[in-house]
Amino acid sequence: MENWIISDREHLGGSPRVRGTRISVTLILESLAAGMTISQIVDAYPSVTEESVRGVLAELAHRKDLQPA
């Protein structure tokens, strides 16, 4: 699995973001929670792709702290 979620101090104050963009993971999640589709997110934020949004979601879904014990 590729690492779509990255963070470093030089971008967004270290907040997790989509690799290769200045779009935060929080913005992606908030957009989905507000009812936006992945296509709408890609249209609204051209620096992300459908692949990167799906990659971020897959990465979040596989986080160890979100897995059943």
Side-chain angles (χ1 to χ4, degrees), residues 3-69:
N3 290 331
W4 286 102
I5 301 172
I6 62 168
S7 65
D8 57 64
R9 292 182 201 210
E10 291 92 41
H11 299 90
L12 301 179
S15 295
R17 63 187 172 92
V18 181
R19 184 187 69 218
T21 75
R22 295 184 60 83
I23 304 297
S24 71
V25 171
T26 300
L27 180 64
I28 298 293
L29 295 175
E30 288 174 342
S31 298
L32 290 167
M36 289 178 77
T37 66
I38 291 175
S39 294
Q40 289 170 324
I41 293 169
V42 170
D43 288 342
Y45 306 101
S47 62
V48 297
T49 63
E50 185 171 325
E51 178 186 20
S52 65
V53 173
R54 290 187 187 283
V56 163
L57 295 174
E59 226 175 288
L60 289 171
H62 289 96
R63 281 182 39 167
K64 296 223 183 289
D65 59 334
L66 297 176
Q67 298 300 314

